[in-house]
Amino acid sequence: MIKRHLQIMALGALVLLVSLAGCASQQAVPRDPADVPGYLNAPPDLADVDPAPLLGRRILLDPGHGGFFRGAVGDDGLSEAEVNLGVALYLQGLLQWAGAEVFMTRTADVDFLSPADSTLSSDLSHRVAMADSLLPDVFLSIHHNSTAQRDPDINETQTYYPLGRDGADLDLARAVHRQLVRALEIEPAKILPGGFHVLRNAPVPAVLGEPAMISNPVIEGRLSLARSLELEASAYFLGLRDYFATGMPHWVTDLPDTLTPLNMDARWTFDPGAPQAPTLDPASLQVTVDGRPIPYVLLPDGQGFSIENPAQHRGSRLVIRGRNLAGRTAPDRVHGFDQLGLGTWSTAFFAESGPPPRRGVLTYAHSTTSLATFGPVLFSHRDRAAAGQPLPTFPGRRGWLLIEAAPADLTEHVIARRLEQGETFAVSDSRPEIYGLPPGVEWIWLDAPADIWPDSAIPGGAWRSRMVRDSGLAGFGRTDWPVATRTLDDVFWLEAAGASPLVLEPGVAAAAPESLTWIPLLPDLIGKRVALDPRGGGTDDQGLGPLGARGSELNLQVAERLAALLRGAGCEVAMLREAEIFVPDPERVRRADAHGADLYLAIGRGEPGVRHHHGSTVGTPWAASCAASLAPLVPDTVAVAAAYDYVLRHTACPAIVVDLESPANTAVESRLTDPAWQDAVARALFRGTVAMLQPDAPFLAVTDLLDILGDRAIPRDRLDLVRLDGNLSWLPPSGQVTGAPLPSWSADDPGLPVRGDHHVIELRAGPHWQLWTLDRVPGGQWHGRVLLENR
């Protein structure tokens, strides 16, 4: 079947080339110089390739140019327009053989001009309009390049993704680029952000390929051959297959794009895109309103979340971001909030966003229980809140506190004065029927500085609830309670950055309120401000791998995983670079100083080593501990040395620069791009940092933790994720690494910290997950017990 598709597409491509190139295609092509790479391989045999990931996928192919627009033209007259179409026809056949639904912007040598508009912009807009109307899974625009000077000696593979869209679009570019490099063997080869019309306006993940320079006479000659078109089409085919093989994750919700007060309990779930595709990496979840993180309630299985009372964010923009455990990013989910959303509410006071007074809302709720999202008090006021006992928290700058609505000094004048001082008030509603709650005592959520309520602040902003309605839990407790009416008689499961989770069985909290105490995971890390500096960006690629991986991008990926670990330990982390853009060193230092950084850690590429400023009493031991933690993961010796890098000399806090391996060859590049390897490196740097700040914190290899749980635990060869204490993640080997195996099942694994005698462990294998408690019993032995399980 595949050969029949290829024969039909080959005939079409050959007829197209002969008819359009005319006599020029018959001219003798000069002998290929031996040192000109590109298109020398035979098209691969795809009979053994599993096409299942492409089944049912909707793909829009855009052969660039056509008709009036010839694109680049070689010295012998071969035009880019005809080559683009030839490759697209081959690729169409391959994708249809695999079961994909394929659309083409053109199938002949035509343009999209009209008597009313004969501009290039009109032609490009027509292609984007097709994407708008079809809404395919991906958009692939096929082109071939030329230099402005038509230099016959230059050749390069370039793969573009939309500028500023570093999520799913970049993932698609990586997958396609990797296969183009392998098939064509052209150097240099680069993945680049681009502002082309079809990219910046595409409504779906999009890539524009420029695999070779048609201005190179040797390449022009090879592109006139059908086998070259088939080879290039096969590379695109394999790249698209790779992209879909690790899932097509996306966010699912029944909510409209614009939220209103009627959307009181807004919920989103992470759809992996296929039954066996990797699930959500909870460390990657970001829920922001106008760029600010907001509290959310994570579903028990970690595959979604909810927020309550979204209308408090009127006139704002909600953005949801996340990736799966294989590193594939879901397209951002964006919602707006109705500007008039609070029109029917009985609002006592409102402060707009900006400098003091900061954004906040003060309203009144009639309820016998507190509301879940806006603070740490998730249990009945009869038991604790009425006695003036908020949920136990640890020191920090700001936090939530539940207080009675009408204390003598809380007059409207006092409220106004506190708002002017920058205090903010959060929210419930004066219409209990919206929540389905009975009338009762009035309450106010107050977000106040720690100097007013010194015990009320929590690093990270709030506790996160993990128990929500319709959870389908097996184990104990009810599964149908509404969040807003939960009491101490129900299961109690809360998480907060830097704290051991509160997971209590029914009745425990009511019978023993002293059990509601916070336990810091790593006390000496709480509130520490860390600046992470992923080196490179822009034209500084920090080393380019043979398959296109940029060292600067690898630095950013490791830094993001390290940031998640540090935040989980209660640190406040500033990322000094968050995209593939250039940031000069003085600006990085300025950003670190503005953050009030206590520590500065830079991640670069080169000879493995860790540098510190000469004589730094903190930087020197910190560098040594990070080097020791990295040593088992790095083939070469990890050197520790004093140095005079700009960032080491000019930061106002202790600083180190960590250089990791460069992607020198395909085996090393495959290892360095593997999410599990990046996770291991991030945990090594985390361990080195903890060893310096909290030297009494022991680390255990995950294998040892799993051994403690015994046979009841999910088998380790099926695990997707292990999450310790609701904050610290571990990824198992993904099977994508070539060369030396990952050390995750060996004693070389950096492990996770287990300070204290009580921990909570979450195991995930696809939809199957378990929640365990781990307790140290007298004699020093650990005992594990499964609390919740969902098969």
Side-chain angles (χ1 to χ4, degrees):
M1 182 63 71
I2 185 173
K3 289 187 176 180
R4 180 176 299 175
H5 275 282
L6 287 175
Q7 288 169 354
I8 294 173
M9 293 303 113
L11 179 60
L14 284 172
V15 170
L16 179 74
L17 286 174
V18 171
S19 63
L20 292 179
C23 295
S25 63
Q26 306 298 321
Q27 294 176 2
V29 177
R31 183 177 179 181
D32 297 347
D35 60 347
V36 178
Y39 297 91
L40 294 176
N41 295 323
D45 183 0
L46 301 176
D48 295 331
V49 174
D50 180 11
L54 289 161
L55 181 63
R57 297 302 184 187
R58 292 164 53 84
I59 300 170
L60 176 58
L61 302 181
D62 173 35
H65 306 290
F68 177 78
F69 303 106
R70 308 312 301 151
V73 179
D75 289 344
D76 285 339
L78 184 66
S79 73
E80 180 189 354
E82 55 195 292
V83 177
N84 297 343
L85 182 57
V87 172
L89 290 172
Y90 268 113
L91 181 54
Q92 179 188 34
L94 291 171
L95 292 170
Q96 288 174 339
W97 163 77
E101 187 176 3
V102 185
F103 306 93
M104 303 273 287
T105 57
R106 66 183 181 97
T107 56
D109 186 36
V110 297
D111 54 49
F112 302 105
L113 303 181
S114 67
D117 193 341
S118 60
T119 64
L120 175 60
S121 177
S122 174
D123 181 88
L124 298 175
S125 295
H126 180 89
R127 300 168 195 262
V128 172
M130 288 189 66
D132 284 333
S133 61
L134 294 169
L135 288 180
D137 293 320
V138 296
F139 175 89
L140 174 62
S141 189
I142 298 172
H143 286 254
H144 294 79
N145 215 339
S146 174
T147 63
Q149 300 80 15
R150 300 188 56 78
D151 190 323
D153 297 324
I154 294 179
N155 196 24
E156 184 172 325
T157 294
Q158 299 172 345
T159 307
Y160 289 90
Y161 65 94
L163 181 67
R165 284 162 49 175
D166 294 337
D169 300 81
L170 180 54
D171 290 340
L172 177 59
R174 290 188 190 116
V176 166
H177 185 79
R178 187 179 301 113
Q179 292 295 343
L180 287 172
V181 171
R182 285 175 173 166
L184 305 185
E185 297 183 339
I186 293 174
E187 294 182 355
K190 299 176 181 177
I191 300 174
L192 301 167
F196 299 113
H197 182 98
V198 294
L199 288 184
R200 67 175 181 267
N201 293 292
V204 297
V207 160
L208 186 148
E210 301 264 21
M213 300 284 186
I214 203 171
S215 54
N216 184 302
V218 175
I219 296 301
E220 179 191 8
R222 291 174 185 166
L223 286 174
S224 68
L225 304 176
R227 58 171 271 163
S228 296
L229 307 185
E230 183 182 346
L231 175 65
E232 184 179 318
S234 299
Y236 278 121
F237 172 83
L238 292 172
L240 289 168
R241 181 203 170 277
D242 289 349
Y243 175 75
F244 289 115
T246 50
M248 187 66 179
H250 56 282
W251 293 101
V252 176
T253 184
D254 293 331
L255 297 169
D257 289 339
T258 301
L259 303 180
T260 72
L262 298 179
N263 307 125
M264 299 308 299
D265 184 8
R267 179 183 296 192
W268 293 261
T269 56
F270 186 84
D271 186 341
Q276 302 302 319
T279 54
L280 173 66
D281 180 354
S284 72
L285 179 58
Q286 300 179 36
V287 186
T288 60
V289 168
D290 292 341
R292 296 175 291 105
I294 63 170
Y296 56 83
V297 180
L298 194 64
L299 298 180
D301 63 0
Q303 295 306 296
F305 68 96
S306 66
I307 62 174
E308 291 188 352
N309 198 2
Q312 67 167 311
H313 305 294
R314 68 176 186 176
S316 299
R317 184 171 181 264
L318 173 74
V319 178
I320 303 165
R321 294 175 179 168
R323 62 173 181 265
N324 67 21
L325 292 168
R328 175 72 72 246
T329 306
D332 289 355
R333 182 75 190 218
V334 180
H335 291 271
F337 291 98
D338 188 352
Q339 285 279 1
L340 303 178
L342 295 178
T344 60
W345 289 30
S346 176
T347 304
F349 209 96
F350 184 81
E352 295 290 350
S353 59
R358 297 182 181 87
R359 184 179 183 83
V361 180
L362 172 65
T363 58
Y364 297 92
H366 297 276
S367 169
T368 57
T369 59
S370 60
L371 301 177
T373 300
F374 300 105
V377 185
L378 300 188
F379 45 86
S380 168
H381 72 275
R382 295 188 301 272
D383 297 290
R384 297 274 295 210
Q389 296 175 306
L391 187 69
T393 59
F394 32 77
R397 293 172 182 77
R398 300 184 67 82
W400 296 100
L401 181 70
L402 186 66
I403 62 173
E404 294 185 66
D409 65 336
L410 197 62
T411 64
E412 193 165 304
H413 173 73
V414 171
I415 292 171
R417 179 174 54 80
R418 290 183 179 176
L419 284 169
E420 289 173 0
Q421 294 172 352
E423 301 166 31
T424 57
F425 294 78
V427 305
S428 27
D429 184 34
S430 62
R431 298 172 57 198
E433 63 271 16
I434 292 181
Y435 290 98
L437 302 175
V441 180
E442 290 185 337
W443 298 95
I444 293 177
W445 290 102
L446 180 62
D447 178 13
D451 58 357
I452 297 179
W453 287 283
D455 296 326
S456 67
I458 306 172
W463 291 86
R464 306 182 298 269
S465 171
R466 290 290 300 274
M467 301 295 282
V468 296
R469 67 194 74 170
D470 303 324
S471 58
L473 299 176
F476 59 80
R478 296 166 53 191
T479 61
D480 59 347
W481 59 78
V483 173
T485 59
R486 190 179 311 125
T487 71
L488 286 178
D489 296 327
D490 298 318
V491 177
F492 201 82
W493 182 5
L494 299 176
E495 297 172 348
S500 179
L502 293 174
V503 183
L504 303 178
E505 299 179 49
V508 171
E514 67 276 3
S515 62
L516 293 174
T517 57
W518 68 270
I519 302 175
L521 297 176
L522 299 162
D524 293 339
L525 272 72
I526 291 174
K528 289 289 185 184
R529 294 184 171 185
V530 182
L532 294 183
D533 175 9
R535 305 299 293 163
T539 57
D540 180 7
D541 57 30
Q542 290 276 294
L544 190 65
L547 301 180
R550 291 166 55 93
S552 58
E553 186 180 346
L554 299 176
N555 297 340
L556 184 58
Q557 291 166 342
V558 171
E560 288 172 342
R561 295 187 180 277
L562 177 57
L565 292 166
L566 291 169
R567 289 178 178 129
C571 295
E572 300 179 24
V573 180
M575 293 286 288
L576 305 185
R577 178 175 69 86
E578 296 186 292
E580 277 298 288
I581 58 175
F582 174 71
V583 180
D585 281 350
E587 174 61 17
R588 297 177 194 241
V589 172
R590 188 202 65 78
R591 293 179 182 181
D593 290 346
H595 180 59
D598 301 305
L599 298 170
Y600 186 112
L601 192 155
I603 300 173
R605 297 285 151 174
E607 288 295 324
V610 186
R611 301 191 297 279
H612 59 86
H613 193 268
H614 181 76
S616 173
T617 57
V618 175
T620 302
W622 185 20
S625 61
C626 285
S629 299
L630 284 169
L633 304 180
V634 178
D636 301 320
T637 301
V638 183
V640 178
Y644 295 93
D645 300 50
Y646 183 93
V647 296
L648 293 177
R649 288 186 291 122
H650 292 278
T651 52
C653 63
I656 61 173
V657 176
V658 179
D659 280 336
L660 303 172
E661 291 177 273
S662 295
N665 55 57
T666 55
V668 173
E669 182 176 0
S670 295
R671 172 163 51 83
L672 299 184
T673 55
D674 189 279
W677 181 264
Q678 295 171 359
D679 170 71
V681 172
R683 284 186 293 109
L685 293 174
F686 178 65
R687 179 171 184 167
T689 302
V690 172
M692 186 265 297
L693 293 175
Q694 189 85 56
D696 65 337
F699 275 66
L700 275 182
V702 175
T703 47
D704 296 334
L705 292 172
L706 296 175
D707 288 341
I708 294 168
L709 304 184
D711 296 337
R712 176 74 188 278
I714 297 173
R716 63 186 62 184
D717 60 351
R718 290 179 47 219
L719 284 172
D720 295 330
L721 176 72
V722 174
R723 196 159 170 84
L724 179 68
D725 293 324
N727 288 294
L728 309 176
S729 295
W730 170 89
L731 295 183
S734 63
Q736 300 176 7
V737 175
T738 59
L742 290 175
S744 298
W745 296 122
S746 72
D748 294 335
D749 182 71
L752 293 169
V754 287
R755 184 182 182 277
D757 296 331
H758 174 77
H759 297 276
V760 175
I761 302 177
E762 189 176 347
L763 307 181
R764 273 182 29 196
H768 184 193
W769 65 271
Q770 296 174 332
L771 184 71
W772 290 73
T773 60
L774 190 65
D775 294 282
R776 196 195 307 268
V777 298
Q781 299 299 313
W782 291 96
H783 173 70
R785 183 166 68 96
V786 63
L787 292 181
L788 296 175
E789 184 168 11
N790 182 8
R791 296 180 182 274

